[in-house]
Amino acid sequence: MEAVSLTGITSVQMLLEIGLDKMKKDYVSFFIGQELATLTSLDCFISTSVDLQEQVHCVPKLHHMLEIMVSCTVLLQFKHESLFPWTQICIKYYRENPPDEKHVFQLPVSSALVKKFYPDSHPEVWKVDISSGHGPKEVKTTWQVSTNPPVEHTMSNNTGKECLWQNEIIKADA
């Protein structure tokens, strides 16, 4: 066996490769162990056929995906059936995009998932965004219900009674 020199950049590069390999294996173990992804779907993040710089860029992507899943599991107590599609959305995004912690993921959430967080709350505004169509024919409707009037001069004389105020915005991209 040939001796490897530990002087110069060789030793640093070896340590980097060992560290990268360990970190990627840890992230992949989480996603596979929780049955949120397959090895095949994560292949682009763990491939050693790309240069070292590209491998380094994959680690923050894996880390950000892990942060999202752990936050949803620990803080929001979401179960596997919600986490699995979210993982797939994150994997798809990060396959094609650089690491970006400021990216806002549009993760689908059913009202049943968050029901336990609002039974004792008394929201003043409920808002729903509905999109239909695609591209130039896309129409986005925002519907908002509030316990407060949109402007003060529309106050009702119905003291003691609750009133709901509706505000609807329709935007069609032309």
Side-chain angles (χ1 to χ4, degrees):
M1 182 176 204
E2 198 176 309
V4 177
S5 172
L6 297 178
T7 59
I9 192 122
T10 305
S11 59
V12 174
Q13 186 166 355
M14 287 172 56
L15 282 174
L16 176 62
E17 289 173 2
I18 292 169
L20 275 174
D21 191 48
K22 168 70 171 123
M23 290 175 72
K24 290 189 296 186
K25 283 181 182 178
D26 288 347
Y27 288 121
V28 168
S29 292
F30 171 82
F31 290 112
I32 291 174
Q34 296 296 315
E35 298 179 353
L36 297 172
T38 63
L39 191 56
T40 306
S41 67
L42 296 170
D43 188 47
C44 63
F45 301 106
I46 58 173
S47 174
T48 55
S49 63
V50 296
D51 69 358
L52 199 56
Q53 187 67 32
E54 184 59 33
Q55 291 181 48
V56 169
H57 285 295
C58 285
V59 173
K61 294 177 182 184
L62 289 165
H63 183 77
H64 192 223
M65 290 189 298
L66 178 71
E67 280 183 329
I68 292 170
M69 296 311 124
V70 169
S71 295
C72 290
T73 303
V74 174
L75 300 175
L76 302 174
Q77 301 164 351
F78 290 165
K79 304 290 181 214
H80 179 269
E81 54 271 4
S82 300
L83 298 174
F84 181 79
W86 295 355
T87 304
Q88 302 311 307
I89 290 169
C90 291
I91 288 171
K92 182 179 178 186
Y93 174 80
Y94 278 128
R95 260 193 202 130
E96 301 164 3
N97 296 289
D100 181 9
E101 287 193 18
K102 294 184 190 262
H103 175 75
V104 177
F105 286 96
Q106 299 286 329
L107 303 174
V109 178
S110 71
S111 57
L113 285 176
V114 293
K115 185 170 79 173
K116 63 184 167 212
F117 295 109
Y118 61 82
D120 296 329
S121 66
H122 304 286
E124 293 185 18
V125 177
W126 287 93
K127 180 179 174 183
V128 176
D129 292 325
I130 301 170
S131 295
S132 61
H134 298 289
K137 295 184 179 187
E138 182 178 38
V139 175
K140 181 178 180 182
T141 302
T142 301
W143 189 64
Q144 185 171 301
V145 177
S146 174
T147 57
N148 297 323
V151 289
E152 289 299 317
H153 72 273
T154 60
M155 291 295 292
S156 171
N157 291 332
N158 299 337
T159 55
K161 296 181 182 176
E162 286 194 34
C163 294
L164 289 180
W165 303 88
Q166 177 181 331
N167 184 14
E168 186 173 348
I169 301 168
I170 300 175
K171 178 184 174 196
D173 294 329

